[in-house]
Amino acid sequence: MLRILALISLLLLSVVVRAAGLFDAGAWAPIILPAEPEVDEWHAARTLADWCERVTGVRPAIRHERPDEPGPELAIYVGHTASAKAAGVAAPDVEGDSARRAVIGRSVFLVGNNPVATRIAVGRFCEQHLGVFFAFPGEQG
């Protein structure tokens, strides 16, 4: 029983360490959406918040950008935000879906060349940094 508890503690610690500052002192950096997000960008942000909560037990706040305010220095930007554009972050302009994750300063940008591809960027982030493995799509996946 002690070995199982130690293994679970090690796995949770490795997830928190891999998130590198996005989850500190028991709180997540906020998830920032464009002022008027596309439906798939909104779903991507909700999916990210859901998985952050499932992994750590703490749900990050989801906020919309405000045109009159700069975004926070420490945040997860999802979709085509003004902050992503200002930072020069864009997904490759290719045929089909392409997604990009960029870390600039203390912020993470998850963007796609279209709103559906933004969901792909979020899925990859969940797999690579939260330790989630998506076996198949759908309700059970």
Side-chain angles (χ1 to χ4, degrees), residues 6-36:
L7 179 61
I8 290 171
S9 298
L10 179 64
L11 289 174
L12 288 175
L13 179 62
S14 68
V15 167
V16 171
V17 169
R18 280 187 280 162
L22 295 176
F23 183 73
D24 280 333
W28 278 99
I31 297 170
I32 308 295
L33 280 167
E36 295 183 22

Short mmCIF file of all heavy atoms in Angstrom, two decimals, residues 6-36:
data_model
loop_
_atom_site.label_atom_id
_atom_site.label_comp_id
_atom_site.label_asym_id
_atom_site.label_seq_id
_atom_site.Cartn_x
_atom_site.Cartn_y
_atom_site.Cartn_z
N ALA A 6 3.27 6.05 -2.76
CA ALA A 6 4.49 6.74 -3.20
C ALA A 6 4.49 6.90 -4.72
O ALA A 6 4.86 7.96 -5.23
CB ALA A 6 5.72 5.96 -2.76
N LEU A 7 4.04 5.90 -5.45
CA LEU A 7 3.98 5.98 -6.91
C LEU A 7 2.98 7.04 -7.36
O LEU A 7 3.28 7.85 -8.24
CB LEU A 7 3.61 4.62 -7.50
CG LEU A 7 3.48 4.57 -9.02
CD1 LEU A 7 4.80 4.93 -9.69
CD2 LEU A 7 3.03 3.20 -9.47
N ILE A 8 1.83 7.08 -6.73
CA ILE A 8 0.82 8.09 -7.08
C ILE A 8 1.35 9.49 -6.78
O ILE A 8 1.20 10.40 -7.60
CB ILE A 8 -0.50 7.82 -6.32
CG1 ILE A 8 -1.17 6.55 -6.89
CG2 ILE A 8 -1.45 9.00 -6.43
CD1 ILE A 8 -2.35 6.07 -6.09
N SER A 9 2.01 9.66 -5.65
CA SER A 9 2.58 10.96 -5.31
C SER A 9 3.63 11.38 -6.33
O SER A 9 3.68 12.54 -6.76
CB SER A 9 3.21 10.93 -3.92
OG SER A 9 2.24 10.66 -2.95
N LEU A 10 4.47 10.45 -6.75
CA LEU A 10 5.50 10.75 -7.74
C LEU A 10 4.88 11.14 -9.07
O LEU A 10 5.32 12.10 -9.71
CB LEU A 10 6.42 9.55 -7.92
CG LEU A 10 7.54 9.71 -8.95
CD1 LEU A 10 8.50 10.82 -8.51
CD2 LEU A 10 8.27 8.41 -9.14
N LEU A 11 3.84 10.44 -9.49
CA LEU A 11 3.18 10.76 -10.75
C LEU A 11 2.54 12.13 -10.71
O LEU A 11 2.65 12.91 -11.67
CB LEU A 11 2.14 9.69 -11.10
CG LEU A 11 2.69 8.33 -11.51
CD1 LEU A 11 1.55 7.33 -11.68
CD2 LEU A 11 3.51 8.44 -12.77
N LEU A 12 1.86 12.46 -9.63
CA LEU A 12 1.25 13.78 -9.51
C LEU A 12 2.29 14.89 -9.47
O LEU A 12 2.13 15.93 -10.08
CB LEU A 12 0.35 13.86 -8.27
CG LEU A 12 -0.96 13.09 -8.37
CD1 LEU A 12 -1.70 13.14 -7.04
CD2 LEU A 12 -1.83 13.62 -9.48
N LEU A 13 3.39 14.64 -8.78
CA LEU A 13 4.46 15.63 -8.72
C LEU A 13 5.07 15.84 -10.10
O LEU A 13 5.34 16.97 -10.49
CB LEU A 13 5.54 15.18 -7.73
CG LEU A 13 6.74 16.12 -7.58
CD1 LEU A 13 6.27 17.48 -7.07
CD2 LEU A 13 7.76 15.51 -6.64
N SER A 14 5.25 14.78 -10.87
CA SER A 14 5.83 14.94 -12.20
C SER A 14 4.92 15.73 -13.11
O SER A 14 5.39 16.51 -13.95
CB SER A 14 6.15 13.58 -12.83
OG SER A 14 4.97 12.87 -13.13
N VAL A 15 3.61 15.59 -12.98
CA VAL A 15 2.68 16.38 -13.77
C VAL A 15 2.79 17.84 -13.42
O VAL A 15 2.85 18.71 -14.28
CB VAL A 15 1.23 15.87 -13.57
CG1 VAL A 15 0.23 16.86 -14.13
CG2 VAL A 15 1.06 14.51 -14.21
N VAL A 16 2.85 18.16 -12.14
CA VAL A 16 2.94 19.55 -11.70
C VAL A 16 4.27 20.15 -12.15
O VAL A 16 4.32 21.29 -12.62
CB VAL A 16 2.77 19.65 -10.17
CG1 VAL A 16 3.08 21.04 -9.68
CG2 VAL A 16 1.36 19.24 -9.78
N VAL A 17 5.36 19.40 -12.06
CA VAL A 17 6.65 19.92 -12.48
C VAL A 17 6.66 20.19 -13.98
O VAL A 17 7.17 21.19 -14.44
CB VAL A 17 7.77 18.93 -12.07
CG1 VAL A 17 9.08 19.31 -12.72
CG2 VAL A 17 7.92 18.92 -10.56
N ARG A 18 6.06 19.30 -14.77
CA ARG A 18 6.04 19.50 -16.21
C ARG A 18 5.23 20.72 -16.60
O ARG A 18 5.47 21.30 -17.64
CB ARG A 18 5.48 18.26 -16.91
CG ARG A 18 6.51 17.16 -17.03
CD ARG A 18 5.98 16.06 -17.87
NE ARG A 18 5.10 15.26 -17.03
CZ ARG A 18 4.20 14.42 -17.49
NH1 ARG A 18 4.04 14.26 -18.77
NH2 ARG A 18 3.45 13.73 -16.68
N ALA A 19 4.26 21.11 -15.82
CA ALA A 19 3.46 22.28 -16.15
C ALA A 19 4.26 23.57 -15.95
O ALA A 19 3.86 24.62 -16.43
CB ALA A 19 2.18 22.31 -15.31
N ALA A 20 5.39 23.52 -15.28
CA ALA A 20 6.38 24.60 -15.16
C ALA A 20 5.79 25.98 -14.91
O ALA A 20 5.85 26.84 -15.76
CB ALA A 20 7.29 24.61 -16.37
N GLY A 21 5.24 26.19 -13.75
CA GLY A 21 4.78 27.52 -13.39
C GLY A 21 3.32 27.79 -13.70
O GLY A 21 2.76 28.74 -13.19
N LEU A 22 2.72 27.00 -14.55
CA LEU A 22 1.31 27.21 -14.86
C LEU A 22 0.42 26.80 -13.70
O LEU A 22 -0.69 27.27 -13.57
CB LEU A 22 0.91 26.45 -16.12
CG LEU A 22 1.60 26.89 -17.40
CD1 LEU A 22 1.19 25.98 -18.56
CD2 LEU A 22 1.27 28.33 -17.73
N PHE A 23 0.93 25.90 -12.86
CA PHE A 23 0.19 25.44 -11.68
C PHE A 23 1.10 25.65 -10.47
O PHE A 23 1.98 24.85 -10.21
CB PHE A 23 -0.20 23.97 -11.83
CG PHE A 23 -1.01 23.45 -10.68
CD1 PHE A 23 -2.34 23.84 -10.53
CD2 PHE A 23 -0.48 22.57 -9.77
CE1 PHE A 23 -3.10 23.35 -9.47
CE2 PHE A 23 -1.24 22.08 -8.72
CZ PHE A 23 -2.54 22.48 -8.57
N ASP A 24 0.91 26.76 -9.77
CA ASP A 24 1.73 27.07 -8.61
C ASP A 24 0.84 27.38 -7.41
O ASP A 24 -0.21 28.00 -7.56
CB ASP A 24 2.61 28.30 -8.88
CG ASP A 24 3.85 27.95 -9.68
OD1 ASP A 24 4.31 26.79 -9.60
OD2 ASP A 24 4.36 28.82 -10.40
N ALA A 25 1.30 26.97 -6.26
CA ALA A 25 0.62 27.25 -4.99
C ALA A 25 -0.85 26.83 -5.03
O ALA A 25 -1.72 27.51 -4.51
CB ALA A 25 0.75 28.72 -4.62
N GLY A 26 -1.12 25.70 -5.69
CA GLY A 26 -2.48 25.17 -5.73
C GLY A 26 -3.45 25.92 -6.63
O GLY A 26 -4.65 25.75 -6.51
N ALA A 27 -2.94 26.74 -7.54
CA ALA A 27 -3.82 27.49 -8.44
C ALA A 27 -3.24 27.47 -9.86
O ALA A 27 -2.03 27.52 -10.04
CB ALA A 27 -3.99 28.92 -7.97
N TRP A 28 -4.12 27.41 -10.83
CA TRP A 28 -3.72 27.44 -12.23
C TRP A 28 -3.65 28.87 -12.74
O TRP A 28 -4.40 29.75 -12.30
CB TRP A 28 -4.76 26.72 -13.09
CG TRP A 28 -4.60 25.25 -13.11
CD1 TRP A 28 -5.30 24.34 -12.37
CD2 TRP A 28 -3.69 24.49 -13.90
NE1 TRP A 28 -4.88 23.07 -12.65
CE2 TRP A 28 -3.89 23.13 -13.59
CE3 TRP A 28 -2.72 24.83 -14.84
CZ2 TRP A 28 -3.16 22.11 -14.20
CZ3 TRP A 28 -2.00 23.81 -15.44
CH2 TRP A 28 -2.22 22.47 -15.11
N ALA A 29 -2.76 29.10 -13.70
CA ALA A 29 -2.79 30.35 -14.46
C ALA A 29 -4.11 30.36 -15.22
O ALA A 29 -4.64 29.30 -15.57
CB ALA A 29 -1.61 30.39 -15.43
N PRO A 30 -4.67 31.52 -15.50
CA PRO A 30 -5.96 31.56 -16.20
C PRO A 30 -5.84 31.14 -17.66
O PRO A 30 -4.77 31.28 -18.28
CB PRO A 30 -6.38 33.03 -16.09
CG PRO A 30 -5.09 33.77 -15.97
CD PRO A 30 -4.18 32.86 -15.19
N ILE A 31 -6.93 30.64 -18.19
CA ILE A 31 -7.04 30.34 -19.62
C ILE A 31 -7.69 31.56 -20.26
O ILE A 31 -8.76 31.99 -19.82
CB ILE A 31 -7.89 29.08 -19.85
CG1 ILE A 31 -7.21 27.86 -19.22
CG2 ILE A 31 -8.12 28.87 -21.35
CD1 ILE A 31 -8.08 26.62 -19.18
N ILE A 32 -7.04 32.12 -21.27
CA ILE A 32 -7.53 33.34 -21.90
C ILE A 32 -8.00 33.03 -23.31
O ILE A 32 -7.28 32.43 -24.11
CB ILE A 32 -6.42 34.42 -21.96
CG1 ILE A 32 -5.80 34.64 -20.58
CG2 ILE A 32 -6.98 35.71 -22.56
CD1 ILE A 32 -6.73 35.21 -19.54
N LEU A 33 -9.23 33.45 -23.62
CA LEU A 33 -9.84 33.29 -24.94
C LEU A 33 -9.90 34.64 -25.65
O LEU A 33 -9.84 35.69 -25.00
CB LEU A 33 -11.27 32.76 -24.79
CG LEU A 33 -11.43 31.28 -24.55
CD1 LEU A 33 -12.86 30.97 -24.13
CD2 LEU A 33 -11.08 30.51 -25.80
N PRO A 34 -10.07 34.64 -26.96
CA PRO A 34 -10.30 35.91 -27.66
C PRO A 34 -11.55 36.59 -27.12
O PRO A 34 -12.41 35.95 -26.50
CB PRO A 34 -10.49 35.50 -29.12
CG PRO A 34 -9.93 34.13 -29.24
CD PRO A 34 -10.06 33.50 -27.88
N ALA A 35 -11.68 37.89 -27.37
CA ALA A 35 -12.85 38.64 -26.90
C ALA A 35 -14.14 38.01 -27.44
O ALA A 35 -15.14 37.93 -26.73
CB ALA A 35 -12.74 40.10 -27.31
N GLU A 36 -14.12 37.57 -28.69
CA GLU A 36 -15.27 36.90 -29.30
C GLU A 36 -14.79 35.60 -29.91
O GLU A 36 -14.53 35.52 -31.12
CB GLU A 36 -15.91 37.80 -30.34
CG GLU A 36 -16.51 39.06 -29.73
CD GLU A 36 -17.22 39.92 -30.77
OE1 GLU A 36 -17.61 39.40 -31.83
OE2 GLU A 36 -17.35 41.12 -30.49
#
